[in-house]
Amino acid sequence: MRLHGTGLTLSYDKRVVATDLDVTIPDGSFTVIIGPNACGKSTTLRALARMLKPRAGAVHLDGAVITSLPSKEVARRLGLLPQSSIVPDGITVADLVGRGRYPHQRMMRQWSREDEVAVASAMDATDVSDLADRCVDELSGGQRQRVWLAMALAQETPILLLDEPTTFLDIAHQIEVLDLCADLHEQGRTLVAVLHDLNQACRYATHLIVMRDGRIVAEGAPATIVTAALVREVFDLRCEIIEDPQSGTPLIVPETRRRARTPA
Amino acid sequence: MTVLRLRDWSLRLSPRGLAVGAAITALGVALSLVALSTGEFTVPVPDIVAALFGDGPPAAELIVSRLRAPRVVTGLLVGAAFGLSGAIFQSLTRNPLGSPDFIGFTAGASTGGIAAVILGGSAWQISGASLAGCVACALLVYALAFRRGVQGYRLILVGIGVNALLVSADWYMLTRANINDAATAGSWITGSLSGRGWDHAIPVAVALAVLLPLCAWLSRPLRMMEMGDDAAKAVGIHVEPVRAAAIAVGVLLCGVATAAAGPVIFVAMAAPQLARRLARSPGVTLTASALTGAVLLVGADLAAQRVFAPIQLPVGIMTAAIGGTYLVFLLRRERR
């Protein structure tokens, strides 16, 4: 496995989010981490992306402790789409996407032919080529997220981590971004995403990691692990599981309050 | 964007950025020539050139090489240092208000300078004290704002607090000082280039020679950090060390500039904003900010000497007037 963490204790200052956590990302998978608020899913992703230094344990990339590798070298193998980034004033789409090439550049090699090709194909894959000369400030939320994704793609990393890539998007744009992720996965990348929506996670993930209170409660293919009992254990939600008529994956249908009130 | 390539090397240049840089440089040269040539005695331009190479008429040589040139050179260097310092801090804090003249660093320099004036320090001691005041104040602000790294917003708020404290300390010293010291200190804190000699210009030149390469090295990671710490770390930047280095460079630039010319306000704030709007570049650009700062300060000094002649104003009054007016004009035009 190229990316895994062992014995991780993760904390922000004094607040410990997870202790002795082992997490493994299967190569070539589209892994989705899911769980209730404050379960540590984003924290775990941030640790895998070396944004957060574990207090104990270590994250390994290709057999080496990730922090022992040169940072730019890591950035050529593992990319991250952060939960929120700041759009520099007045930057164009092409410029922003080009910034993803940073780990491939040096002071005297600022814009190679490979950079040009990578940026063009990243914009092509995310369908933002037509917006190349537009200012990012003027774009809609969905377009903007595609541009950030294009920047991460331009980095040309075999592993790509996405921290809640669908937050702040309406449903149509959420599906658009997830379909795009599925395409990227099919082209051979390993993807790891934190998502909120359990049904979307079931539909797109090839490997699901379900967390609660800083522990992994279950992991595996959605169809084999997602049950009503699991959802109740993890989310405290009574539900019924049916087959998604579109994808055949598990579909969670929460029980209504009225039915929950009727005596058993 | 134009790309220059040679074997494995490539440089990326914006045509507009280059044109604007050239135009600002030309304006700087023109203003410098006017400043060297005009005044109480007019020196024709050919004599200026001859004097600078040491074979002009003796009178021209005295006026140009001894009196006017050091003042112009000090102005250019100090303006460039302020422009760079402002650009670095505005980039770090992602906020135009994050300039050293707003977050207390210039105030620290003032406090040091005033204290030295009142204690009867020599010109060198005043410069040294203002540099020390600037560095001490920066360390204080950095330490107070530090919490799991330094966030721009906290840095600005802490800086504004420290700034207010230091300004009140300045006024306390000014009201307690005897009338002569208070007058000297009062003219010093406005910022002035009058009477500046080569001994003022050389320390700034040395500091710039050391710090400019560092600025060039910092400019690319700083640009990435404007998108947020996570985005910068994701592409392989060591965010905290880069930030600490950038703060150190920015503080030193601001400190040596203040030591040479006093705490001239507004250049550090306005130059990067003017440069960015002229070059239409995303984010803060260091080179254009340095050039704009140099031109702004020399232009303001020229205006301070000539507009109300024979009354000579301290340059600090003019930087705010000229820089402020032009910035408001640009902002108005942008809104349409």
Side-chain angles (χ1 to χ4, degrees):
Chain A
M1 297 298 163
R2 297 191 65 181
L3 182 64
H4 63 99
T6 44
L8 300 176
T9 297
L10 307 175
S11 66
Y12 293 108
D13 291 333
K14 293 253 158 62
R15 197 169 62 83
V16 175
V17 180
T19 42
D20 206 25
L21 176 74
D22 293 328
V23 55
T24 301
I25 306 302
D27 291 343
S29 67
F30 186 168
T31 298
V32 173
I33 309 177
I34 202 146
N37 290 339
C39 70
K41 53 189 189 295
S42 272
T43 310
T44 305
L45 188 90
R46 288 174 56 78
L48 289 173
R50 76 188 181 315
M51 297 291 119
L52 181 76
K53 198 170 178 264
R55 193 183 281 184
V59 172
H60 295 261
L61 177 67
D62 296 328
V65 175
I66 199 164
T67 46
S68 73
L69 297 167
S71 197
K72 264 186 160 181
E73 175 60 42
V74 174
R76 289 193 285 265
R77 300 188 212 168
L78 180 150
L80 168 74
L81 180 69
Q83 207 171 90
S84 59
S85 298
I86 300 152
V87 178
D89 274 344
I91 196 168
T92 62
V93 169
D95 256 355
L96 189 71
V97 176
R99 288 189 175 193
R101 296 299 294 167
Y102 185 88
H104 301 271
Q105 295 166 336
R106 290 192 305 267
M107 203 151 143
M108 290 311 293
R109 200 177 76 197
Q110 301 180 347
W111 201 246
S112 64
R113 304 227 180 262
E114 295 87 76
D115 293 337
E116 221 154 81
V117 173
V119 167
S121 75
M123 292 203 295
D124 196 41
T126 49
D127 202 18
V128 295
S129 303
D130 293 342
L131 306 174
D133 296 321
R134 292 270 299 277
C135 263
V136 180
D137 319 305
E138 303 166 0
L139 304 181
S140 71
Q143 290 172 322
R144 214 182 269 203
Q145 189 65 333
R146 290 212 309 265
V147 171
W148 284 117
L149 202 51
M151 178 184 151
L153 282 184
Q155 210 171 318
E156 292 194 314
T157 56
I159 305 171
L160 182 56
L161 312 188
L162 309 125
D163 196 355
E164 302 195 14
T166 53
T167 316
F168 310 122
L169 298 180
D170 62 36
I171 181 77
H173 287 122
Q174 289 180 17
I175 298 298
E176 185 183 281
V177 165
L178 289 169
D179 279 339
L180 178 56
C181 291
D183 291 345
L184 298 174
H185 168 244
E186 262 166 35
Q187 290 157 19
R189 284 187 190 78
T190 303
L191 254 61
V192 187
V194 168
L195 293 182
H196 265 298
D197 187 311
L198 197 43
N199 289 329
Q200 288 176 355
C202 288
R203 186 181 267 198
Y204 290 94
T206 61
H207 185 81
L208 197 62
I209 295 179
V210 185
M211 293 185 68
R212 177 170 180 160
D213 300 330
R215 290 177 304 110
I216 294 176
V217 180
E219 61 181 314
T224 50
I225 62 163
V226 175
T227 60
L230 180 75
V231 174
R232 191 163 167 195
E233 183 193 343
V234 173
F235 289 92
D236 294 321
L237 178 79
R238 288 164 180 273
C239 70
E240 193 182 329
I241 307 247
I242 59 173
E243 194 184 272
D244 184 326
Q246 289 285 320
S247 59
T249 52
L251 183 71
I252 289 88
V253 183
E255 282 185 9
T256 66
R257 278 176 68 192
R258 176 173 297 179
R259 200 163 136 200
R261 269 198 218 114
T262 47
Chain B
M1 284 287 169
T2 316
V3 183
L4 300 179
R5 289 207 181 95
L6 182 68
R7 292 199 199 103
D8 198 24
W9 294 351
S10 53
L11 275 179
R12 210 176 179 208
L13 303 162
S14 122
R16 187 181 168 96
L18 282 178
V20 167
I24 298 174
T25 308
L27 183 62
V29 171
L31 284 172
S32 302
L33 284 177
V34 173
L36 290 173
S37 134
T38 63
E40 256 177 274
F41 300 96
T42 304
V43 181
V45 172
D47 285 0
I48 294 175
V49 179
L52 290 177
F53 286 103
D55 59 340
E61 215 160 292
L62 172 74
I63 292 171
V64 172
S65 308
R66 293 280 174 77
L67 299 176
R68 290 181 188 164
R71 180 176 187 153
V72 170
V73 171
T74 308
L76 288 170
L77 296 174
V78 165
F82 273 130
L84 272 174
S85 177
I88 287 173
F89 282 106
Q90 291 180 12
S91 172
L92 280 173
T93 57
R94 304 177 194 111
N95 193 325
L97 296 181
S99 329
D101 32 0
F102 284 77
I103 57 174
F105 300 170
T106 318
S110 306
T111 308
I114 293 172
V117 169
I118 287 172
L119 294 172
S122 66
W124 278 100
Q125 283 166 332
I126 296 171
S127 294
S130 72
L131 178 58
C134 182
V135 172
C137 173
L139 287 173
L140 179 70
V141 171
Y142 188 77
L144 288 175
F146 196 91
R147 198 172 67 188
R148 269 197 275 131
V150 175
Q151 297 301 315
Y153 189 62
R154 273 178 71 79
L155 194 72
I156 294 177
L157 284 182
V158 170
I160 288 175
V162 170
N163 189 54
L165 199 69
L166 290 170
V167 169
S168 65
D170 293 352
W171 282 108
Y172 174 78
M173 286 193 290
L174 285 177
T175 49
R176 301 286 302 204
N178 77 49
I179 190 83
N180 290 327
D181 286 348
T184 314
S187 82
W188 187 80
I189 57 170
T190 325
S192 171
L193 290 170
S194 99
R196 293 304 185 267
W198 290 115
D199 50 345
H200 291 94
I202 287 167
V204 190
V206 171
L208 278 174
V210 175
L211 297 174
L212 277 178
L214 282 172
C215 289
W217 173 73
L218 285 168
S219 72
R220 293 178 63 242
L222 277 180
R223 206 180 306 148
M224 300 300 286
M225 280 159 59
E226 285 172 22
M227 297 189 294
D229 289 3
D230 282 0
K233 280 186 206 163
V235 292
I237 289 166
H238 295 283
V239 169
E240 281 306 327
V242 168
R243 181 146 44 214
I247 290 177
V249 170
V251 167
L252 286 174
L253 285 167
C254 169
V256 292
T258 312
V264 185
I265 55 161
F266 215 70
V267 177
M269 189 269 163
Q273 293 299 315
L274 292 171
R276 195 172 84 68
R277 284 176 174 76
L278 291 172
R280 299 220 187 109
S281 66
V284 179
T285 48
L286 296 185
T287 318
S289 302
L291 292 173
T292 308
V295 169
L296 184 57
L297 193 57
V298 167
D301 189 44
L302 192 60
Q305 291 177 70
R306 303 285 188 272
V307 172
F308 297 103
I311 299 169
Q312 305 280 295
L313 295 176
V315 67
I317 293 176
M318 277 297 168
T319 51
I322 295 175
T325 313
Y326 191 42
L327 187 60
V328 168
F329 163 75
L330 277 182
L331 287 169
R332 279 287 304 176
R333 211 182 52 173
E334 211 166 72
R335 237 180 38 170
R336 276 180 222 139

